[in-house]
Amino acid sequence: MLAPVDNPMLGPWTAPYGLPPFDRIRPEHFPPAFDVSMRAHRDAVASIAGDRSPPTFDNTVAALDRAGRAQARLEHVFHTLTSSATSPELEAVEREIAPRLAAHRQAILTDAGVYARLDELHSRRDALGLDAGSRMLVERFHLDFTLAGAKLDETSRRRVAAIVERLAALNTAFRQNVRHDEETRGLLLRDEAQLAGLPAELRASAREAAIDRGEPDAWFVTMSRSAVVPFLSHADRRDLRERAFRMWTSRGEHGGEHDNRPVAREILSLRRELARLHGHRTYGDYALGDRMARTPGAVAGLLERVWRPAREKALAERDALADHARKLGATHPIEPWDWRYYAEKVRHERYAYDEDEVRPYFPLERMSEAMFDCAGRLFGLAFVPRAGLPVWHPDVRAYEVRRGGRVVGLFMADNFLRQGKRSGAWMSYLREQSNSDGEVLPVILNNNNFVEAPAGEPTLLSADDVRTLFHEFGHGLHGLLSNTAWERLSGTNVLQDFVELPSQLYERWAFEPSVLAKHARHARTGEPIPAALVERMNAARRFNQGFETVEYVASALVDMALHSAEGGDVDIGTFEQNELARIGMPGEIVMRHRLPHFEHVFAGSWYAAGYYVYLWAEVLEADGWDAFVEAGDVFDRATAGRLERYVYSAGGTLAPDAAYRAFRGRDPVVEPMLADRGLVATPGR
């Protein structure tokens, strides 16, 4: 084993905010570091279990929360690097470590001695005289242990532990297979005529991507959504659109060692077994026991209510696209690789709106300033650049977050697409907030995959990119504004169908006319975005909502159907095809995430039987936004104060339904969400 002097993960982290020495960390440092941290965690938990004094909140529940903090921080560093700066060497370590970490967590959460103490405290929690947050911590840990199988007999516990360990290996393999396809496949173009229709910014980024791959005289379209979607929206060459689309939507199903189909098959089989061991009919029943929705039936009710009008709207949109294509001389039917291309044409015709007209007004730097400014106006936060801190890649920018002259956290932004970084956008931690043993400030990370402009040029964002930027920052604020005693309840440690409320709600401020008037300025001229262009952009926002809703809801419906199946060996390709036929999926649209690369569902358990949560949270978000509309000011301080107190800062100390009622004054209604998607007509909206 490496001595602490040789292993920076084992020595003290002396940088500000407890940041690790990223410049010194190598893949081989992690296994011995985890050996030490897991042993220390096990010893701390064994001490709790072996305590001969009667169980109390302090010697059992609070001690359990403290016991896991050092282990969690090491895991945060590891997952930051495996997600944002990986390598073949680190991926090999990940394949080794992921099952061990899963086995370690399972052992902690099924410790019989600790569970016996928790169970006793839980049974008399009403008599303990605890504040709301401490009582919730008792309930949360008790549920964590129960869901892990602490109540099961020894034989069942051993089988659950084996399943959990195997699933961790399979989840890692699934994620790495998707990354392999994204990094090794793409559209290489050698003739400038193949670029017809592409805006200058997209051409430039494709050139840079080709240079990065040793092709200085070519252009390369990567399989990142931020690169493929613009290509599909603008490329005049239909054959190239089809090639790109097929390549993009077939990630994870190319056969050989990186084929995700057998991986997914085994994951589903193990999840069904896991659910049965816990006494549930299906995995969906098991997973939804710890969510706001509670039952697959409640999820199905929401999805079906949206699916029918969305499908009708999408079919009408398809007919409009076909009409426009015929006007342009096309004789072919609309295929999935045509939809985005003709949608842009129709959008421009109907609304005089062109995404390329808007992009110059959305340089990344200004849009970042906009999201910081909104946080200042709503919550009194200031974001001050902080240089010289250890980071995992030169792209990363760090900001001290201050309020009233006091530092409340550190925010780190890693915005650009690159090799070694997984696709998508996400928020994560390096350190979670708590204040039970003195103030521990949060260190929050936002990762995006925007296509960086060539050196010296501003990176211009699409409207969808701006929405993503604000969305992930909403998650970041959820972590930064956290004000809880206990790490297990801080920040985003809430039920999954509530966690998307802060992020989706924050998207609203991105396109407020007053925000755009202040921050959306032309990258070259500095002129503010014209009010008429903002009006056209907002008017065009509901166009193509049938398509957007169908591709998302189809993914959620297939996810729930997949995890509601009671048995049998599942071929995900056949299942996907049959389920889409059953719900009447338009042939011109594919799922937003096809099953062989559906990382939300198969790269971990967080969104398994849970992809619906974005729509569930959208109901809360649309209704919650109306609170600001009703106040007459989207920056109304009283409304923002309630939002912070009951949503952004409360973490898991309040039950989600109670937290929402405290903010809004009532339960949510679904109509604002349906109206926002253009699925119902609502006067005045």
Side-chain angles (χ1 to χ4, degrees), residues 400-417:
E400 275 189 347
V401 187
R402 301 176 184 174
R403 178 151 64 178
R406 185 174 70 89
V407 177
V408 298
L410 186 73
F411 175 72
M412 308 180 83
D414 184 356
N415 282 321
F416 297 121
L417 169 71

Side-chain angles (χ1 to χ4, degrees), residues 10 30-45 67 70-72 74-75 96-105 108:
L10 291 172
F30 282 107
F34 276 121
D35 287 341
V36 172
S37 69
M38 288 190 287
R39 186 182 309 116
H41 192 192
R42 288 193 300 270
D43 289 347
V45 170
Q71 172 70 17
L74 183 56
E75 289 190 36
E96 171 199 346
I97 290 294
R100 291 182 55 202
L101 292 177
H104 172 75
R105 287 192 292 270
I108 296 297

